[in-house]
Amino acid sequence: MKVAKVRLFQELHKSFIYYRENNPFTPWHHHPEYELCLIKKGRGKRMVGDNIDRFENNDLVFIGSYTPHECLCDPEYYNHPDGFQGEGIVIQFVYDFLGEKFFKIPENSNLDKFILESSRGYVFYGNSKRRIISIMLEMEEMNDNERFFALLSIFRIFASTKEFKVLSSPAFSEPFWQDESGSMQKALKYILQNFQRNVKISDLLKITNMSNTSFYATFKQTYRMAFKDYLLSIRVGYACKLLTDASQNISGIAYESGFGNISNFNRQFKRIKGITPSQFQEQIKKISFGNMSSVEYNIYPS
């Protein structure tokens, strides 16, 4: 399954993109821009990285740079006498659209962390979701100057909100280390470089210079899950990445992802993803990606 590089047209006198989508949503693709996407009207299957889920009206996601994604509406939205019935609003920007230093100033440390860790994709909920949707809808009637300051209002929410769920697993996207000198960052780097082999806790204790008890407690506090669950999540996420290629067989993928046997792979995959590896692969096949190539093309506003 190839990922198309699809980019919206950006007018020269504008620093970011605000786009109203009334055409069929773009198939499996990625782009260098960060994207905030609101589904005003539509329901169907949403795929971000290795996460496959349903979406409904008012679904709101934020997707990192070059993270592959797609929202595929149910057939009823295509099979209508008046044409495609889905509708969305998309905001896109590149990391340095406000200058090289904007996200790096001390006051923006929380916002910078939020932006940089979005490679796994976020889906919003709660009051933060309602506030962001309200701003995005109001932006439809704004001029360019007003839209710019409205986007800064959204950034303000980004910087403080905890009302979002991370979508894809850690291994699907390229990892980013903000501070490679930290003990937990060193541990994470080691895990991501060695998860296909037997990761020994004794090696991690040497790398972090921690005791067994301290390491487990600190790891869980830092990454919000136990070490063993994190390692399994990475292996399953990497397996999902391989499963998108229909030419690879499941047993080979299991061993390449760090699992010692196929039965354990199937059991852990289903526990984490809710479906078996073969069911995941079938769902991928059912999503209509067409004969997409890796060439870049632009979508111009209608």
Side-chain angles (χ1 to χ4, degrees):
M1 182 177 64
K2 294 182 178 180
V3 183
K5 186 176 182 182
V6 180
R7 305 188 70 178
L8 295 174
F9 174 72
Q10 181 173 337
E11 298 174 70
L12 293 176
H13 66 286
K14 296 180 181 180
S15 61
F16 68 97
I17 296 170
Y18 181 89
Y19 179 61
R20 291 178 289 266
E21 180 64 271
N22 296 303
N23 299 308
F25 303 148
T26 308
W28 185 240
H29 68 290
H30 68 177
H31 39 70
E33 294 82 7
Y34 292 84
E35 177 175 298
L36 179 64
C37 181
L38 166 65
I39 303 297
K40 288 183 66 177
K41 186 167 67 172
R43 65 173 57 90
K45 186 178 293 183
R46 173 184 7 94
M47 185 170 179
V48 177
D50 61 7
N51 175 266
I52 300 175
D53 206 346
R54 294 284 300 174
F55 70 88
E56 304 284 341
N57 291 346
N58 292 322
D59 187 68
L60 182 65
V61 296
F62 184 70
I63 300 165
S65 175
Y66 287 112
T67 300
H69 57 281
E70 173 180 15
C71 285
L72 179 68
C73 284
D74 290 338
E76 65 195 77
Y77 288 87
Y78 298 92
N79 304 330
H80 193 279
D82 295 328
F84 181 66
Q85 294 298 296
E87 185 178 354
I89 296 176
V90 174
I91 295 174
Q92 290 185 351
F93 58 87
V94 294
Y95 184 76
D96 61 354
F97 84 109
L98 292 171
E100 294 181 1
K101 297 182 179 180
F102 176 79
F103 288 113
K104 295 302 181 185
I105 63 175
E107 293 84 354
N108 277 339
S109 59
N110 287 342
L111 175 60
D112 189 46
K113 184 175 186 293
F114 180 90
I115 297 292
L116 290 173
E117 293 182 356
S118 64
S119 60
R120 295 169 61 189
Y122 306 138
V123 59
F124 294 95
Y125 60 87
N127 189 50
S128 296
K129 175 182 176 179
R130 289 189 289 271
R131 290 166 62 199
I132 294 171
I133 288 177
S134 177
I135 295 171
M136 293 179 74
L137 294 176
E138 290 173 358
M139 289 171 77
E140 290 192 81
E141 305 301 324
M142 292 180 180
N143 60 37
D144 293 343
N145 182 266
E146 292 168 333
R147 281 181 179 173
F148 172 75
F149 287 103
L151 179 58
L152 295 184
S153 297
I154 292 175
F155 283 172
R156 185 177 183 180
I157 299 171
F158 284 178
S160 60
T161 184
K162 298 185 184 301
E163 294 179 312
F164 64 90
K165 175 185 174 183
V166 178
L167 293 174
S168 64
S169 61
F172 196 89
S173 300
E174 284 295 322
F176 179 87
W177 298 287
Q178 287 186 311
D179 177 16
E180 293 190 30
S181 63
S183 295
M184 284 296 102
Q185 294 288 29
K186 289 179 180 178
L188 177 59
K189 185 173 184 178
Y190 180 85
I191 292 167
L192 291 172
Q193 290 176 338
N194 295 278
F195 70 89
Q196 293 165 289
R197 300 188 289 274
N198 182 26
V199 178
K200 296 180 180 179
I201 188 64
S202 58
D203 292 333
L204 291 169
L205 297 181
K206 289 178 183 178
I207 291 169
T208 59
N209 195 29
M210 290 182 174
S211 67
N212 194 300
T213 302
S214 177
F215 173 81
Y216 281 121
T218 304
F219 193 97
K220 188 169 185 179
Q221 182 180 15
T222 303
Y223 298 113
R224 299 182 183 180
M225 65 173 70
F227 160 68
K228 289 183 179 179
D229 291 334
Y230 196 93
L231 179 59
L232 282 172
S233 179
I234 288 174
R235 286 172 171 166
V236 169
Y238 186 74
C240 288
K241 193 172 186 178
L242 299 180
L243 286 165
T244 61
D245 182 355
S247 66
Q248 297 200 54
N249 65 72
I250 291 177
S251 60
I253 288 173
Y255 289 107
E256 190 173 345
S257 301
F259 291 92
N261 59 74
I262 188 68
S263 61
N264 185 44
F265 172 59
N266 287 329
R267 182 171 62 255
Q268 299 296 349
F269 192 100
K270 187 172 184 179
R271 182 177 70 83
I272 292 174
K273 305 302 294 185
I275 55 177
T276 66
S278 58
Q279 288 172 331
F280 180 89
Q281 204 165 48
E282 283 302 312
Q283 286 202 31
I284 293 291
K285 291 177 183 177
K286 289 177 182 178
I287 296 177
S288 216
F289 298 118
N291 297 317
M292 303 184 71
S293 67
S294 59
V295 298
E296 176 179 342
Y297 58 92
N298 296 299
I299 296 178
Y300 288 79
S302 55

